[in-house]
Amino acid sequence: MATELDKVEVVTVGVGWTGGIIAAELAKNGVQVVGLERGKPRDTEDFQHIHDEYRYAIRYDLMQDLSKETITFRNNRDERALPMRQLGSFLMGEGLGGAGVHWDGQVYRFLPYDLEIKTHTDEKYGADKLGDDYTLQDWGISYDELEPYFYKFEETTGISGDADSMPQSAPRNNPYPTPRMKETPVTKRFKDAASNLDLHPFHIPSANLSEAYENPDGQNIQQCQYCGFCERFGCEYGAKSTPNVTVIPTAQETDNFELRMNANVTEVLYDGDKANGVKYVDLQTGEEFIQPADIVVLTSWVMNNTRLLLNSEIGRPYDPETRSGVIGKNYCYQMRPTATGFFEEEKFNTYMGAGALGAAIDDYNGDNFDHSDVDFIHGGVITVNQQGQRPINNNVVPNDTPNWGQTFKSESLKYFYRTLTVGSQGASMPHRNNYLSLDPDYTDSNGYPLLRLTYDYTDQDRSLHAYLAERSVEIMKEMGADHVEASEMTDHYNIVPYQTTHNTGGVIMGDDPETSAVNNYSQMWDVDNLFVIGASAFAHNGGYNPTGTVGALAYRAAEGIMQFREENGQLVQGKKNTKVT
Amino acid sequence: MADEKDAKKQSEMSRRKFMKNTGYVAGGAIGGGLLGSLLGTNFLGDNQQTSPENTNEENNFNRALMYFTKQSDFDILRAATERIFPEDDNGPGAIELGIPFFIDHQLAGAYGHNDREYMQGPFYPGSDFQGYQTRLKRHEVFDVGIQAIEKQSQNDFNASFVDLEGEQQDEILQQFQDGDVDLKGVTATTFFELLRSATIEGAYADPLYGGNGNMEGWVMKEYPGNYMSYIDEIEEEEFIEKEPKALQSHISS
Ligand SMILES: Cc1cc2nc3c(=O)[nH]c(=O)nc-3n(C[C@H](O)[C@H](O)[C@H](O)COP(=O)(O)OP(=O)(O)OC[C@H]3O[C@@H](n4cnc5c(N)ncnc54)[C@H](O)[C@@H]3O)c2cc1C
Ligand code: SF4
């Protein structure tokens, strides 16, 4: 029998970036919030021995324990989905701060084009540019509406950037709170090459701060030391903006936030009309609790947000056969086209670096170039990153080299500091056959069905990959590499090698309750007091890292929740003005 | 054999030169272990009784087995890792770096027992794109794999794997990588990929895990290990060589 606790006003599931933002914004405004997080607590003190590639980058010490819960995966509906038994393609966060602890900190705003992609594409290229199998949708919000929330996230996190050098990126009303990071020989070389090619290079906006900064909530973030142990690691200085050094302490400094660790939420309690709270297991005692709440907020990342809704039987599950339903729909990922340059005569100090240290161009992103003569839409930011090259993870050798033995050894030693990679985050368009659902066979350690991922590359992906790889090769050649190798796509999407943790979709945002799950405040169309926040709301995936946009949506959702407390009901009028049941 | 000795001497020479060039010796970081290994190979030779890791690590009490129970299994592992990451002109190979001990210790712990991996059934073979799908835990995969290496060696060459010439050992390992050998409960490719990645991990993981002996894996790669800050050097054009530093320097005890 689950123990029923006293009702609270707001409960959040997961305390990472989105959960932290909701906690800070509501608690500051006098709202009582309980944050349930299934992982352990941690702060900067826990990161003093973090420079350990094996423990943190290879054995994934900070990430989700898959023995308790994972996903299952198959390339298509005719296959049997099998468990992702070990981490690989993407790395789910776990513990206080979520993936916000071990992220890189590259912070972008999605383009105005992204938010109105369907309208724009149809108008400019005709309604059948991609064909009927691509389930492209507008997001139900314009860039101008979202702009202040982007800034709110950047201000809270103190992002270091140089707005003046970004003419093709999303327009800004304010400069970045701190100056861009340092220029290194690597970033300079990329920028010179890009300029020679008449492209428009800029420094990647960074949450590894270029200087010490106090944010509007009074939290201090330190200056980045370019230590090279950022991606997959926590920062030993508190110099990387994470929920743990920004929003979570802000919430904790009020009397309104209660954080409960080791609390694994298994269900949202739902009476067919509204959410009444959540059920969770205390992982240390095995005890079950019911936490009643006026407002329930899912802030548990893409996969978990979707899974909790499906396991709680909330909303209409997406069915690829009939194309009806919305929960699980429009799952997207990203392509990673790259060009690796081999430099025979030069060595770069690439053991130094920071998660978000790098340079980029937006010339081939969004609709910044004309797509009339290509058979794909969108594109991606093309970057060079200097993140701190680690020896286990980086053994780049020319393509025809075996991957073990004497030649491998000497070639991987030789090229360790003699290669640079230019690469893109290729945007991913939704396709009817790529979606999330519940697995019929496999369960988690509590007996609940695992989430099942059905995903493969589409023709759009292959064309986009080829195009961006070619552009990357041009830049790398201009950078002076003696020999350049472009990446090639595998026959199918592979769950094994790490690619990116920019998974999106499943609980998408839109202006029509028929085709989307949440409105532009991340409020569920079907359930007024349930908010679902994160990249799960992205109706497609853009050509950038997601968290700048996730942060903006979270600040907007916080405002929505405040408004809902006053007004109740739907905050947005659905396009068709019908509530689908 | 004579060839091998010469090659060895040469490699020893270039390794010294290499370390001198990287400032490793000049920096005064040369320790008993490293000196021992130079002496060991020069004067004692590389025979069974005085294998490099024994001479190398005379006082290293971590050089004992936590997982393997038979010396002969461990010897096959040693020989296989040495082919994957061999000693050459650049410097030491798997054995001298302590990689077999690294793997042995890892197999005894969370890694070997897949503690943080989903190991619930049912188990099905899976496609090439679905990843690790076996009911065997990693330590069992190594058991099965090592026995299969020996069996394949007896089959192909009528001799134990540890007694084969290097190229013959490579031939056997290649069959595993290509999935041309049938193993019980796991594919040969899965085993080989585990063996290969564990070997590379042992070469470059912090020496605290028992591999990367004397940080020589890092020395070969000119990797400085972990420094707290590069803020004053990140803008430099020239390549900056640094004496490597291990995690040991972070602990106050
Ligand atoms: C290695 C890496 C590098 C990255 N780099 C970048 C980058 O440079 N730029 C960028 O924009 N993005 C980056 N990201 C992505 C970024 O980390 C995420 O977009 C962001 O953290 C998402 O925030 P979130 O709140 O949705 O989820 P998270 O921050 O992951 O938080 C979710 C939390 O919910 C908890 N939780 C889940 N399920 C439950 C449950 N049932 N009960 C209780 N708690 C639960 C989890 O334990 C977790 O703590 C990176 C990610 C990784 C892994
Ligand atoms: S690179 Fe900078 S932000 Fe990243 S961990 Fe090191 S000091 Fe912290």
Side-chain angles (χ1 to χ4, degrees):
Chain A
M1 259 312 275
T3 309
E4 184 156 339
L5 303 165
D6 291 341
K7 190 170 177 178
V8 296
E9 210 176 352
V10 176
V11 66
T12 77
V13 179
V15 186
W17 263 129
T18 54
I21 289 169
I22 295 305
E25 288 307 289
L26 298 187
K28 274 194 300 191
N29 284 294
V31 185
Q32 191 202 352
V33 184
V34 166
L36 300 174
E37 166 55 53
R38 68 179 170 197
K40 291 198 285 189
R42 56 193 177 192
D43 60 29
T44 303
E45 243 185 276
D46 291 296
F47 307 138
Q48 301 310 304
H49 303 270
I50 198 92
H51 284 197
D52 184 341
E53 180 186 13
Y54 185 61
R55 174 169 169 184
Y56 293 102
I58 305 296
R59 300 266 75 87
Y60 312 120
D61 201 73
L62 298 176
M63 285 103 183
Q64 183 170 314
D65 178 351
L66 297 191
S67 73
K68 296 186 179 136
E69 179 181 326
T70 185
I71 60 149
T72 66
F73 162 70
R74 57 183 182 175
N75 281 123
N76 60 65
R77 273 186 281 153
D78 297 332
E79 238 172 33
R80 187 203 307 270
L82 295 176
M84 177 175 80
R85 297 190 179 275
Q86 41 193 10
L87 285 167
S89 180
F90 43 87
L91 304 170
M92 293 103 111
E94 182 166 87
L96 192 60
V101 166
H102 48 76
W103 75 326
D104 292 302
Q106 303 170 22
V107 176
Y108 296 95
R109 300 172 168 197
F110 273 23
L111 296 162
Y113 159 82
D114 277 304
L115 304 175
E116 290 164 319
I117 192 166
K118 167 87 174 141
T119 303
H120 181 96
T121 303
D122 289 358
E123 272 172 13
K124 194 162 168 194
Y125 304 108
D128 43 84
K129 173 78 178 163
L130 288 190
D132 179 43
D133 284 339
Y134 293 86
T135 47
L136 217 56
Q137 288 181 209
D138 290 350
W139 291 33
I141 190 166
S142 72
Y143 178 78
D144 287 343
E145 286 172 280
L146 207 51
E147 205 277 342
Y149 306 101
F150 276 114
Y151 188 60
K152 187 94 198 243
F153 182 67
E154 292 161 356
E155 220 186 356
T156 308
T157 47
I159 301 308
S160 301
D162 173 12
D164 293 341
S165 64
M166 303 171 70
Q168 289 160 321
S169 311
R172 311 174 51 84
N173 293 330
N174 299 289
Y176 282 101
T178 54
R180 66 154 171 77
M181 298 188 86
K182 285 179 188 287
E183 188 87 80
T184 77
V186 174
T187 56
K188 178 144 192 323
R189 177 155 322 207
F190 175 91
K191 287 184 180 180
D192 289 347
S195 298
N196 292 345
L197 296 167
D198 292 326
L199 305 169
H200 302 83
F202 57 90
H203 240 57
I204 295 176
S206 168
N208 319 135
L209 296 202
S210 61
E211 61 185 34
Y213 173 75
E214 182 180 331
N215 81 7
D217 295 319
Q219 306 303 335
N220 290 297
I221 307 151
Q222 305 307 320
Q223 181 183 30
C224 173
Q225 298 297 310
Y226 302 86
C227 78
F229 280 83
C230 207
E231 189 247 354
R232 306 188 184 193
F233 305 89
C235 178
E236 73 269 44
Y237 295 99
K240 173 164 72 178
S241 255
T242 65
N244 312 55
V245 299
T246 58
V247 288
I248 295 170
T250 297
Q252 284 174 317
E253 282 162 20
T254 70
D255 291 331
N256 301 318
F257 179 55
E258 189 197 333
L259 178 61
R260 268 180 235 152
M261 304 302 302
N262 305 297
N264 184 41
V265 175
T266 53
E267 268 180 68
V268 178
L269 302 169
Y270 174 59
D271 66 12
D273 191 30
K274 73 188 219 309
N276 297 314
V278 299
K279 193 193 240 182
Y280 72 91
V281 183
D282 181 324
L283 294 172
Q284 289 178 318
T285 62
E287 244 179 311
E288 244 190 357
F289 293 96
I290 285 170
Q291 178 59 69
D294 291 332
I295 300 171
V296 176
V297 191
L298 301 190
T299 51
S300 56
W301 196 63
V302 179
M303 303 285 183
N304 311 303
N305 285 354
T306 307
R307 176 169 183 256
L308 276 168
L309 292 176
L310 292 172
N311 269 334
S312 310
E313 297 180 3
I314 301 176
R316 297 162 297 130
Y318 171 70
D319 177 353
E321 203 58 60
T322 61
R323 299 191 184 207
S324 63
V326 286
I327 309 300
K329 183 177 138 177
N330 283 27
Y331 172 82
C332 289
Y333 197 47
Q334 274 179 340
M335 289 351 98
R336 296 301 316 269
T338 60
T340 299
F342 295 78
F343 296 77
E344 298 297 331
E345 307 298 331
E346 284 175 273
K347 274 161 83 181
F348 302 93
N349 284 314
T350 38
Y351 58 85
M352 310 176 188
L357 178 63
I361 54 155
D362 265 339
D363 297 77
Y364 303 114
N365 199 1
D367 203 39
N368 287 344
F369 61 107
D370 187 54
H371 291 70
S372 306
D373 295 332
V374 295
D375 55 356
F376 66 92
I377 61 164
H378 214 306
V381 66
I382 295 182
T383 62
V384 75
N385 297 312
Q386 187 174 351
Q387 299 185 297
Q389 178 130 298
R390 304 180 300 259
I392 302 174
N393 251 329
N394 294 283
N395 289 284
V396 178
V397 290
N399 265 341
D400 48 11
T401 315
N403 71 356
W404 57 280
Q406 207 275 311
T407 315
F408 167 75
K409 180 185 171 188
S410 53
E411 294 287 279
S412 60
L413 294 177
K414 173 180 169 190
Y415 286 113
F416 190 44
Y417 296 122
R418 292 176 196 274
T419 54
L420 294 176
T421 298
V422 163
S424 183
Q425 298 184 45
S428 167
M429 296 305 114
H431 188 276
R432 66 179 296 193
N433 292 334
N434 290 334
Y435 69 108
L436 302 168
S437 55
L438 288 179
D439 192 276
D441 301 320
Y442 293 94
T443 61
D444 68 9
S445 55
N446 291 310
Y448 288 86
L450 293 182
L451 190 72
R452 178 176 64 186
L453 166 63
T454 307
Y455 181 73
D456 207 350
Y457 300 133
T458 64
D459 292 342
Q460 144 87 25
D461 294 337
R462 291 182 191 283
S463 302
L464 179 145
H465 184 284
Y467 184 86
L468 291 179
E470 274 175 50
R471 302 291 82 75
S472 304
V473 167
E474 286 162 8
I475 297 172
M476 185 46 84
K477 283 192 173 146
E478 187 65 29
M479 285 169 74
D482 295 298
H483 168 64
V484 182
E485 287 179 0
S487 61
E488 275 170 34
M489 263 175 137
T490 43
D491 287 347
H492 298 282
Y493 165 68
N494 187 348
I495 199 86
V496 179
Y498 183 75
Q499 289 149 69
T500 150
T501 311
H502 304 163
N503 318 57
T504 63
V507 195
I508 63 172
M509 179 175 283
D511 61 4
D512 180 355
E514 184 70 49
T515 56
S516 61
V518 296
N519 67 29
N520 61 35
Y521 286 101
S522 298
Q523 180 184 31
M524 275 198 78
W525 291 114
D526 296 355
V527 191
D528 293 343
N529 69 335
L530 181 54
F531 292 75
V532 187
I533 308 171
S536 50
F538 292 9
H540 70 276
N541 202 355
Y544 292 124
N545 309 68
T547 313
T549 304
V550 167
L553 294 179
Y555 277 105
R556 171 144 178 109
E559 207 175 278
I561 294 168
M562 295 297 294
Q563 206 177 315
F564 176 76
R565 286 174 77 231
E566 311 293 322
E567 296 169 15
N568 270 304
Q570 273 294 314
L571 299 168
V572 179
Q573 281 264 307
K575 195 177 180 182
K576 295 195 176 132
N577 205 13
T578 46
K579 213 164 156 181
V580 187
T581 42
Chain B
M1 272 331 247
D3 281 5
E4 240 182 79
K5 271 219 179 92
D6 278 346
K8 186 122 203 189
K9 222 188 215 150
Q10 234 180 3
S11 98
E12 215 41 71
M13 294 299 291
S14 61
R15 181 145 51 98
R16 280 197 220 201
K17 206 171 94 208
F18 181 84
M19 284 186 292
K20 221 170 155 189
N21 287 346
T22 57
Y24 189 71
V25 175
I30 189 155
L34 183 59
L35 201 61
S37 90
L38 295 179
L39 293 177
T41 359
N42 283 347
F43 299 121
L44 301 175
D46 185 13
N47 59 42
Q48 286 292 325
Q49 277 85 41
T50 50
S51 63
E53 71 239 41
N54 292 339
T55 53
N56 192 357
E57 306 281 348
E58 244 165 64
N59 291 319
N60 187 342
F61 297 109
N62 295 329
R63 290 292 186 253
L65 297 184
M66 290 167 83
Y67 175 71
F68 285 99
T69 46
K70 277 200 197 74
Q71 181 73 38
S72 55
D73 289 343
F74 187 64
D75 289 343
I76 294 165
L77 175 75
R78 280 176 28 139
T81 56
E82 183 69 18
R83 291 314 295 172
I84 291 171
F85 198 86
E87 165 155 8
D88 67 359
D89 286 358
N90 296 292
I95 294 177
E96 195 173 336
L97 289 171
I99 292 172
F101 285 111
F102 165 86
I103 294 177
D104 172 80
H105 296 1
Q106 286 300 308
L107 290 177
Y111 165 86
H113 292 262
N114 302 51
D115 279 359
R116 299 179 73 231
E117 265 104 38
Y118 188 83
M119 293 303 283
Q120 292 182 46
F123 291 89
Y124 298 101
S127 75
D128 289 348
F129 306 94
Q130 288 176 305
Y132 193 90
Q133 298 292 339
T134 162
R135 74 171 64 240
L136 301 184
K137 294 181 174 177
R138 292 193 189 95
H139 72 91
E140 297 168 308
V141 173
F142 272 83
D143 287 346
V144 167
I146 282 172
Q147 275 150 32
I149 287 182
E150 183 61 11
K151 191 169 155 216
Q152 196 66 15
S153 172
Q154 294 291 353
N155 209 35
D156 288 5
F157 298 107
N158 243 325
S160 175
F161 184 74
V162 295
D163 295 329
L164 299 183
E165 295 295 324
E167 279 95 63
Q168 295 173 318
Q169 293 176 329
D170 289 353
E171 261 178 60
I172 303 271
L173 293 174
Q174 191 61 54
Q175 292 178 50
F176 279 77
Q177 181 168 39
D178 296 342
D180 293 342
V181 185
D182 280 335
L183 305 195
K184 199 174 160 198
V186 65
T187 67
T189 309
T190 298
F191 162 62
F192 182 82
E193 286 309 322
L194 270 184
L195 175 66
R196 176 191 165 270
S197 53
T199 303
I200 291 167
E201 285 157 14
Y204 300 124
D206 193 278
L208 98 89
Y209 295 99
N212 190 9
N214 295 318
M215 302 187 283
E216 287 185 66
W218 289 348
V219 170
M220 284 186 282
K221 230 174 180 178
E222 298 184 274
Y223 183 69
N226 61 84
Y227 278 73
M228 297 297 284
S229 172
Y230 296 122
I231 192 168
D232 294 329
E233 295 155 306
I234 185 94
E235 290 155 307
E236 294 293 327
E237 287 280 351
E238 289 299 303
F239 186 75
I240 301 174
E241 294 174 4
K242 285 183 174 295
E243 211 173 275
K245 228 159 80 174
L247 274 167
Q248 198 178 35
S249 64
H250 284 251
I251 195 104
S252 48
S253 53

